[in-house]
Amino acid sequence: MPPKKAIAFGKIGSFGQLSISTQPVTKSEDSGFGKFGKSDEEFRVEPTADVERAMGFQGFGKSKAAPVKNFDLESLVEQSKQVARERERNSLKVSGAVNSVEVEAAENVIGPTPPPQTTESIVTESEENKISLAPKKPSKITTRTHSDDEDVDSSDSEDDDETGTYIPAALEVNLNHGTKPVSALSVDHSGARLISGSVDYDVKLWDFAGMSSSLQSFRTIRPCESHPILDLHYSITGDAILIISGTAQAKVVDRDGYEKAECVKGDQYITDMARTKGHIASLMGGCWHPRDKQEFLTCSQDGTCRIWNVEDVKQHKGIMKSRSQNGLRAAPTSCTYSRDGNLIACACNDGSIQMWDHRKMFVNTSVLIRNAHQSGTETSSIVFAYDGRNVATRGGDSTLKLWDIRQPKSPVHSVGDLFSRFSMTNCAFSPNDRLLFTGTSFQKGESGGKVVFLDRTTFERVHEIDVPKAHVVRALWHPKLNQIIVGAGDGNIHLYYDAAKSHNGAKLCLGKPKRIRPHEMMSTVRVITPHALPMFREDKPRSTRRAMEKARKDPLLSKQPDLPIGNKGSGGRVATSGSTLSSYIVRNLGIASRIEDEGNPREAILRHASAAAANPYWVSPAYSKTQPKPIWAPENNDGDEEPDAKKGKLN
């Protein structure tokens, strides 16, 4: 038996290559085991050129690594400096060319100098002259569009963006709600739908994505019968709408306008409002909770603010009583939640602002501002800023005030001369929280209402949007759409937006064509009968226009009114002379024996007395035997003598 060889493990080289030892290993006499594995002769390097060529690569990792690229920082800096110097020289050459052209034009032009040309036009003209010396073609006259206006005002808009006072009011779209003032507006958080309410009792729902350029609402409802709509609000999820009307019961409808819940009405014979399950007087305002989609708030003229749950509207969830300074009832005119939902604020008709902490019992107010506005006026709106520190109130005394809830003794800013005719006029903050805006009504001698924008820090008027020949009742600025929506007193809804910085909303429906009217479409289903007889075969309608013209000629399909007929009747119709009994009596008896009514009626009756006495027919024969003889009073020839009853008594 030949001797066994030992196992050769080899060693790892410096470049990761495995080198196999070729020295033979002698057997140790001390060990009693043989060698395992194959002999050293079997570890031979085989040629791999054919394998590399078949598999499509150059080798099995034997190639050297690519050299690392070294960057020379000093050369890069020098190169960038040289590029900057060349750009500066080019700009100086362009400015010099502009100045030389202006001087030559000023010397050749007689009269006032034309406006200066831009650098772009000078550069393009110089390039054209270099390319060819052919005469230029006359330029076409172009009209100025909205895009040109945007290019002109681009610098102004950039400056406004830096200061945070840019207002998207470059373009306008009008929606017609009706003829009466739009008293309520709301847009859902996604910006897909708009809802509007008016004092004409109607609520209209608008879908921006499904609306065409005809700008028509997809649904109109009348949820509260003959009560004006005072306020509308979408929930935080957009699946429910809170409707506040002139009744004592608030309603909640779904996204499509179908009723989901209606609050219960309280007992008006109970004096303690905490003992009643709901409001007993007309509502004034309401809103949804900013964090909880099931909770909403309402305020009423019964002097209470109540918290409700959508799932259980048979009884209020919480109640807050607003009191005046002398302890009597004060009716809240508007209410709202803070941005985090921890505070509930309401403005009352005594001019006070009262706030309660939502996390505590509603016994005492956490913030109380007396004489915030003039007593006896309706504070139409109260709203929190996005940072939660400031509160803005729109008073019925033509003022707008900004308050700090940390120091509520006096307003931070106040502005007057904001006349309003409506108790629903609101105020709101811009999405960046730097502007505060509200609407005004126009007085005698003014052209229309305005939407006034004020700087929050200085309360200076930044911008005004004029609404011609209409009062501004409602105004809101949607943060996602970046569009301003204004409800006017003439029944129109004005949407202001910017073509570049506004998104969706009114921009979606302007490019869509108008829908085909229902009466222009073929409503009847055509039955195809290829093997029908010619007398029963129907012609294929080629176009709706020809079908309408053919139906117009048919008196039955067009419902043509009956034409007047002549002396003789036809087709079951009786002529004016007619063949009925009444027409015969009128024609033969009434007209033939016509009595002149202009004479004395007594003489006309007595004319037949001799004939009735000579030939009695109706009454006289029946009473001939029992009829008493008439006794006539003697004739008195003396007309001056008075009867005995009227003669005066002699003394």
Side-chain angles (χ1 to χ4, degrees):
M1 183 176 179
K4 297 181 179 179
K5 297 181 180 181
I7 299 174
F9 293 97
K11 60 180 178 179
I12 299 174
S14 59
F15 294 96
Q17 297 179 359
L18 181 65
S19 62
I20 307 300
S21 175
T22 57
Q23 297 179 1
V25 180
T26 59
K27 179 181 177 182
S28 177
E29 296 180 356
D30 298 337
S31 60
F33 299 96
K35 295 189 290 185
F36 297 93
K38 297 182 179 180
S39 62
D40 298 337
E41 298 177 356
E42 298 181 3
F43 292 93
R44 295 189 300 271
V45 179
E46 297 180 357
T48 59
D50 297 336
V51 179
E52 293 173 0
R53 191 182 306 107
M55 298 183 67
F57 52 86
Q58 296 179 355
F60 293 93
K62 295 180 180 180
S63 61
K64 296 182 180 180
V68 179
K69 187 176 181 180
N70 297 325
F71 295 95
D72 190 359
L73 297 179
E74 295 181 358
S75 62
L76 292 176
V77 171
E78 291 296 334
Q79 186 178 359
S80 61
K81 288 182 180 180
Q82 186 177 0
V83 172
R85 293 191 195 98
E86 291 178 358
R87 289 181 180 177
E88 187 176 0
R89 293 193 197 100
N90 294 334
S91 62
L92 293 175
K93 290 180 181 179
V94 171
S95 61
V98 172
N99 296 331
S100 62
V101 169
E102 289 181 356
V103 171
E104 292 176 1
E107 293 177 355
N108 298 329
V109 174
I110 300 174
T113 58
Q117 297 181 356
T118 58
T119 58
E120 295 179 359
S121 61
I122 297 298
V123 172
T124 54
E125 289 177 1
S126 62
E127 291 177 356
E128 290 176 358
N129 293 332
K130 290 179 182 179
I131 293 171
S132 63
L133 299 176
K136 297 181 181 180
K137 297 181 180 180
S139 60
K140 298 181 180 180
I141 300 174
T142 57
T143 58
R144 189 175 182 182
T145 59
H146 292 297
S147 61
D148 299 334
D149 297 337
E150 293 168 6
D151 295 339
V152 172
D153 299 336
S154 60
S155 59
D156 297 338
S157 62
E158 291 176 359
D159 296 340
D160 293 339
D161 288 341
E162 294 177 359
T163 58
T165 59
Y166 177 73
I167 298 170
L171 302 175
E172 179 183 0
V173 175
N174 292 335
L175 306 178
N176 186 14
H177 178 94
T179 57
K180 295 187 178 181
V182 179
S183 57
L185 283 175
S186 181
V187 182
D188 61 349
H189 288 265
S190 62
R193 287 192 176 183
L194 165 70
I195 184 170
S196 61
S198 175
V199 295
D200 60 356
Y201 323 132
D202 291 339
V203 173
K204 290 190 176 183
L205 289 87
W206 315 77
D207 190 356
F208 292 119
M211 187 166 49
S212 64
S213 58
S214 59
L215 304 178
Q216 298 293 328
S217 62
F218 73 92
R219 183 158 299 160
T220 301
I221 60 175
R222 183 170 288 187
C224 303
E225 297 180 352
S226 299
H227 294 277
I229 307 299
L230 302 180
D231 207 352
L232 295 170
H233 286 281
Y234 270 100
S235 62
I236 55 173
T237 55
D239 58 348
I241 304 169
L242 175 63
I243 301 177
I244 303 296
S245 63
T247 62
Q249 299 171 271
K251 281 191 176 183
V252 178
V253 298
D254 62 0
R255 189 176 178 83
D256 295 326
Y258 298 103
E259 183 176 341
K260 292 180 61 177
E262 183 179 10
C263 297
V264 69
K265 186 178 181 181
D267 190 352
Q268 58 185 355
Y269 296 102
I270 298 178
T271 57
D272 189 2
M273 292 295 101
R275 301 290 182 180
T276 60
K277 298 181 179 180
H279 292 290
I280 63 171
S282 61
L283 298 175
M284 297 298 294
C287 64
W288 287 94
H289 193 281
R291 303 289 178 84
D292 188 1
K293 66 177 183 179
Q294 301 290 338
E295 182 180 324
F296 62 93
L297 173 70
T298 58
C299 64
S300 172
Q301 289 183 351
D302 59 3
T304 61
C305 296
R306 298 175 190 261
I307 301 174
W308 304 84
N309 193 334
V310 180
E311 303 297 334
D312 184 16
V313 292
K314 299 300 181 183
Q315 188 174 3
H316 61 260
K317 183 180 176 182
I319 183 173
M320 292 144 284
K321 300 179 183 178
S322 55
R323 299 292 182 184
S324 60
Q325 193 169 6
N326 54 8
L328 299 179
R329 178 186 301 175
T333 57
S334 61
C335 61
T336 187
Y337 282 99
S338 61
R339 300 291 177 178
D340 55 1
N342 293 332
L343 280 179
I344 297 175
C346 73
C348 304
N349 59 356
D350 63 341
S352 64
I353 299 174
Q354 304 182 20
M355 301 182 190
W356 293 269
D357 194 341
H358 195 290
R359 298 162 294 184
K360 300 178 182 179
M361 296 292 292
F362 305 123
V363 179
N364 297 324
T365 58
S366 59
V367 178
L368 179 60
I369 305 174
R370 295 290 183 188
N371 302 322
H373 290 276
Q374 184 179 352
S375 179
T377 60
E378 294 185 2
T379 304
S380 57
S381 177
I382 179 171
V383 61
F384 279 85
Y386 287 94
D387 57 8
R389 297 193 302 267
N390 294 85
V391 178
T393 56
R394 178 68 161 91
D397 52 357
S398 302
T399 60
L400 177 64
K401 296 184 179 181
L402 184 66
W403 305 85
D404 191 344
I405 60 176
R406 298 168 297 182
Q407 297 177 355
K409 293 184 178 180
S410 60
V412 180
H413 296 289
S414 178
V415 63
D417 196 16
L418 299 174
F419 176 70
S420 176
R421 298 181 183 272
F422 300 91
S423 60
M424 296 84 69
T425 305
N426 69 325
C427 62
F429 288 89
S430 62
N432 59 4
D433 225 8
R434 295 185 180 181
L435 297 177
L436 182 63
F437 61 94
T438 185
T440 62
S441 303
F442 68 93
Q443 301 181 11
K444 186 177 181 180
E446 297 180 356
S447 60
K450 297 179 181 179
V451 182
V452 181
F453 294 85
L454 305 172
D455 191 352
R456 179 181 172 184
T457 56
T458 61
F459 246 50
E460 296 179 356
R461 295 200 180 192
V462 177
H463 186 70
E464 291 181 354
I465 299 177
D466 294 330
V467 182
K469 299 180 181 179
H471 307 286
V472 177
V473 185
R474 290 277 183 176
L476 58 92
W477 191 339
H478 197 272
K480 190 171 184 180
L481 300 179
N482 196 21
Q483 298 178 11
I484 300 173
I485 305 172
V486 177
D490 57 354
N492 291 327
I493 303 171
H494 303 267
L495 281 78
Y496 299 94
Y497 66 98
D498 188 89
K501 299 180 181 179
S502 298
H503 308 283
N504 299 335
K507 297 172 64 177
L508 291 176
C509 54
L510 292 179
K512 294 184 179 180
K514 295 183 179 180
R515 296 179 180 177
I516 301 175
R517 296 182 180 178
H519 70 271
E520 295 180 1
M521 297 186 298
M522 298 296 294
S523 59
T524 58
V525 180
R526 180 174 175 267
V527 180
I528 300 174
T529 55
H531 303 291
L533 297 175
M535 61 184 302
F536 299 107
R537 191 172 298 166
E538 296 181 0
D539 296 335
K540 181 180 179 180
R542 296 183 179 179
S543 63
T544 58
R545 183 181 182 86
R546 291 187 177 182
M548 292 176 64
E549 291 177 355
K550 188 176 180 181
R552 183 66 178 172
K553 295 178 181 179
D554 191 350
L556 297 179
L557 295 178
S558 63
K559 298 180 181 181
Q560 182 180 359
D562 297 332
L563 299 175
I565 59 176
N567 296 330
K568 296 181 180 181
S570 62
R573 298 174 59 196
V574 181
T576 55
S577 58
S579 60
T580 60
L581 178 61
S582 59
S583 62
Y584 174 78
I585 293 174
V586 169
R587 186 174 66 253
N588 296 314
L589 298 180
I591 298 177
S593 60
R594 183 177 180 181
I595 301 173
E596 297 293 338
D597 295 337
E598 296 178 358
N600 190 358
R602 184 174 182 276
E603 294 178 357
I605 294 173
L606 292 178
R607 191 184 304 165
H608 306 282
S610 58
N615 188 15
Y617 183 76
W618 297 106
V619 180
S620 298
Y623 298 99
S624 59
K625 295 181 180 180
T626 60
Q627 185 70 19
K629 295 181 180 180
I631 301 173
W632 306 102
E635 294 182 358
N636 187 8
N637 297 328
D638 190 3
D640 298 337
E641 186 179 358
E642 296 180 354
D644 296 339
K646 293 186 178 181
K647 289 183 179 180
K649 295 181 180 180
L650 299 175
N651 295 332

